[in-house]
Amino acid sequence: MSHRIHIIGTGSPFGDDRFGWEAAEALRSYAAIQSIPGSRVKISVLDRPGAMLPLHWRATDIVILMDAVRSGAAPGTRHRLDARDLAGADAPCSSHGFGVASAIGLARALGNLPTRLSLRGIEADSAWTGFSLSPAVAESLPSFVADIAQEALVLTGFSSPAAANRE
């Protein structure tokens, strides 16, 4: 299996909205990710890409979006959605005006969806006003990054799903 994967951390420089950025930066230095040939995995950090998001995944087989989300769940709760889960969503899955769901809808309308597109998110703490990640979100970051790295290894064929389930 040889897929091109684009892992995209989205967000802004403010509080928990930095989560996608922090996760992408942590993945860049993660040993398991560094063992995958560079042509198979690309990691990007995007500042509130809005309608431009689909341009970043052109010619990519698999896209994993990482972002902070607000659904009302407890801060630090993990969310795992794919493009089908977000189809027709009325509200963006982001605190930005034109969010991930809107970008996926636009890409769908333009015939620009990758073969596989998923959103991996962490519930932001709506009460947090700091510039860094809230304690609950920061605590979830290391295991979140490990899970994304393992998923990338499986999707590129550098690790089997059975091995991933044993770890």
Side-chain angles (χ1 to χ4, degrees):
M1 183 180 332
S2 175
H3 296 291
R4 286 187 32 184
I5 301 173
H6 193 168
I7 301 171
I8 303 172
T10 65
S12 76
F14 309 108
D16 283 347
D17 204 37
R18 299 182 54 81
F19 179 78
W21 293 9
E22 299 279 344
E25 291 302 329
L27 276 170
R28 284 183 175 151
S29 61
Y30 206 82
I33 292 293
Q34 291 177 350
S35 71
I36 301 171
S39 63
R40 294 195 184 175
V41 176
K42 178 180 180 181
I43 300 172
S44 298
V45 173
L46 301 176
D47 186 350
R48 300 165 278 197
M52 302 303 287
L53 182 58
L55 295 176
H56 293 278
W57 65 55
R58 282 185 295 183
T60 302
D61 298 323
I62 299 170
V63 174
I64 300 172
L65 299 172
M66 302 180 301
D67 199 3
V69 299
R70 294 180 191 266
S71 71
T77 299
R78 290 183 188 208
H79 297 276
R80 184 181 179 115
L81 305 165
D82 66 24
R84 290 183 308 270
D85 296 325
L86 297 170
D90 292 331
C93 288
S94 170
S95 58
H96 319 302
F98 192 98
V100 171
S102 299
I104 290 170
L106 176 62
R108 184 177 286 110
L110 297 173
N112 185 21
L113 280 177
T115 304
R116 180 175 173 173
L117 178 111
S118 60
L119 170 67
R120 301 293 184 262
I122 291 292
E123 187 73 26
D125 184 341
S126 60
W128 183 250
T129 58
F131 286 101
S132 61
L133 297 177
S134 67
V137 171
E139 183 179 318
S140 67
L141 184 64
S143 63
F144 179 93
V145 169
D147 289 349
I148 297 296
Q150 187 59 50
E151 184 175 358
L153 286 168
V154 170
L155 291 170
T156 57
F158 283 85
S159 178
S160 70
N165 288 334
R166 285 195 305 264
E167 295 179 2

